[in-house]
Amino acid sequence: MPDGTCARPLQADLPAGGRAILPLSGRGLKVMHDGRALLDLEEIQLSGQGLTAVMGPNGAGKSLLLRVLAGLVTPGRGAVLWGEVPPRRDLRNRLGFVFQNPVLLRRSALANVAYVLSHAGLSRKQARSEARSVLVRARLGHLADRPARLLSGGEQQRLALARALALTPEVLFLDEPTASLDPASTLAIEEMIGAARRGGTRLVLVSHDAGQARRLADEILFLHRGRLIEHSRAEAFFEAPASREARAYLAGEILL
Amino acid sequence: MQDFGAAFLHAFELLLSFDPDLMEIVGLSLEVSLIAVAIAAIVGMPLGALLAVLRFPGRGAVLVVLNAFMGLPPVVVGLMVYLLLSRAGPLGLLQLLYTPAAMIVAQCLLVMPIVAALTRQTVEDLHREYDEQLRAFGIGPLGRVATLLWDGRYSLLTALLAGFGRASAEVGAVLIVGGNIDHVTRVMTTAIALETSKGNLALALGLGVVLILIAMAVNALVLALRNTADRLSYA
Ligand SMILES: Nc1ncnc2c1ncn2[C@@H]1O[C@H](COP(=O)(O)OP(=O)(O)OP(=O)(O)O)[C@@H](O)[C@H]1O
Ligand SMILES: [Mg+2]
């Protein structure tokens, strides 16, 4: 079966040690707009294993931070490094991104997954058969031939996640992947996240759901008005947040 | 009025009997216009998509020129192609003047800006939606063009339709470079003009009816395809 031969198609292309993106670091990151700092971070580094949850009120800059780290937005000041190099297009398929509003191609669910696989160098046939097993693993096998855009919101999120995981990325950014999903779909997504983490993918998750962050996260980044207010181990953060802002946010107060 | 009614009757007789002269003219018209649109699409669609995806200095000016070229007068294009292909012209050695090939070249030049400009618009809208996702996938400009053209394929039918409409309806360009030679370069529009001036209203009317029927059939086909696409959320 092609499954055995091409399930990890890119491993061979990786430099020794198999890590191209990690450690991922940002230094002196600043994004300005109309004289306002949308993002202003001194230092941030992702390495090793596990899941980092990014929390903070609406407009805090969480999505923007993910975009900057993923090399999709170039900061006005400061720099992001993937390993030792600035973000490069040929490294992108080592990195996955599930957007707050995922964009599914106007194709079948299967073709959406096959798309990323064939762009990573698989033949059309290999890509399709590998895509099918990706969907089956995500328990979306029965939807393979349905137009992706006719799937339900929850199914679309799971498809976007399965697509992002198809190349077993080194780092995966998830921007509120379970916002507006029911408990069952949320559970399905969290299971996929758990499996990815066991597979060695470094995860960064934006979530407003404290319960979810508690379940999944090893460490928490708490952002407020573009600044990193708190960076702590998850248990410590939920037990006793160090900052007034985080305490208020967790207590459900409205932060201004 | 009587004339008109008789002409109509006679026109339908010609149509229903598949009059060979009429069929020959219809066949050549379709051949010339379809080939012209196909070539215009093969060149114009990637060009339009590239213009939608790339940002370069002078892009605005290119778009203005392209959009203006959508309205090129057929006789002017005919004249240009005539000058190119005439015996003394730069491509005179090819001896293409007064052949269907010359008509294809002329119509292709007329249609290409339409296809490219409409493609640019459609693809640009789609690109706005896909841009960040495709960047996250690490897709380069050429991959983007291919992806956007494929995912926009049903919307892009409209561009082809506009191109075909333009090609099949114009008289000026094919008349100048084709010469309306019987059994060689006579197409529906040039034949209608000629037969009308000769007072042969039946043939002219018959051809006019065919022209309209073809336009309707092509439109219906495109509409059906687009409806299917809408149903599948592919459009
Ligand atoms: N391209 C942009 N141009 C101008 N302002 C922007 C741009 N992108 C983001 N912003 C602004 O930056 C701030 C942070 O936006 P961001 O999307 O990162 O917030 P967020 O923390 O993800 O919020 P939410 O929880 O609502 O998703 C917001 O005030 C937003 O209006
Ligand atoms: Mg956000």
Side-chain angles (χ1 to χ4, degrees), chain A residues 33 36 38 56-65 100 176 208:
Chain A
H33 183 76
R36 194 166 68 98
L38 301 181
N58 290 141
K62 305 180 295 296
S63 298
L64 188 58
L65 172 63
Q100 197 161 355
E176 302 193 32
H208 286 291

Side-chain angles (χ1 to χ4, degrees), chain A residues 35-95:
Chain A
R36 194 166 68 98
L38 301 181
L39 199 65
D40 188 359
L41 300 181
E42 262 155 43
E43 165 125 41
I44 186 166
Q45 184 165 109
L46 300 172
S47 53
Q49 306 261 320
L51 186 146
T52 301
V54 181
M55 302 190 79
N58 290 141
K62 305 180 295 296
S63 298
L64 188 58
L65 172 63
L66 261 57
R67 285 189 164 90
V68 169
L69 295 178
L72 298 170
V73 168
T74 311
R77 268 212 281 120
V80 168
L81 289 181
W82 293 353
E84 262 107 63
V85 297
R88 270 200 340 230
R89 181 147 68 79
D90 60 316
L91 293 176
R92 279 202 187 286
N93 53 22
R94 302 303 309 128
L95 184 142

Side-chain angles (χ1 to χ4, degrees), chain B residues 154 157 218-231 235:
Chain B
Y154 291 105
L157 285 174
V218 171
N219 271 285
L221 184 71
V222 168
L223 199 67
L225 281 170
R226 288 207 56 161
N227 281 342
T228 313
D230 277 340
R231 226 167 352 91

Side-chain angles (χ1 to χ4, degrees), chain B residues 1 9 12 17 21 23 30 33 37 41 46 49 84 86 106 118 130 133 141 154 157 162 165 169 191 211 214 221 229:
Chain B
M1 216 48 230
L9 265 179
F12 275 101
S17 65
D21 279 350
M23 288 304 127
L30 281 178
S33 295
V37 171
L84 273 178
S86 69
L118 295 180
Y130 278 20
Q133 185 70 66
Y154 291 105
L157 285 174
L211 201 52
I214 289 174
L221 184 71

Side-chain angles (χ1 to χ4, degrees), chain B residues 95-194:
Chain B
Q95 300 202 316
L96 288 179
L97 204 58
Y98 304 129
T99 66
M103 296 153 72
I104 290 172
V105 171
Q107 287 201 342
C108 192
L109 291 178
L110 270 177
V111 169
M112 185 125 43
I114 296 180
V115 173
L118 295 180
T119 298
R120 201 270 307 165
Q121 242 158 47
T122 306
V123 168
E124 202 162 297
D125 290 343
L126 193 58
H127 190 229
R128 235 188 297 284
E129 187 194 328
Y130 278 20
D131 182 27
E132 198 165 43
Q133 185 70 66
L134 294 184
R135 255 185 319 131
F137 288 153
I139 313 288
L142 292 183
R144 260 155 208 263
V145 164
T147 303
L148 292 165
L149 284 176
W150 178 253
D151 276 35
R153 60 200 180 278
Y154 291 105
S155 318
L156 290 171
L157 285 174
T158 311
L160 289 186
L161 195 63
F164 181 76
R166 170 89 154 160
S168 58
E170 69 84 26
V171 204
V174 282
L175 187 63
I176 293 179
V177 302
N180 193 25
I181 303 166
D182 206 5
H183 300 303
V184 184
T185 58
R186 183 158 297 171
V187 290
M188 285 190 270
T189 53
T190 54
I192 290 173
L194 178 75

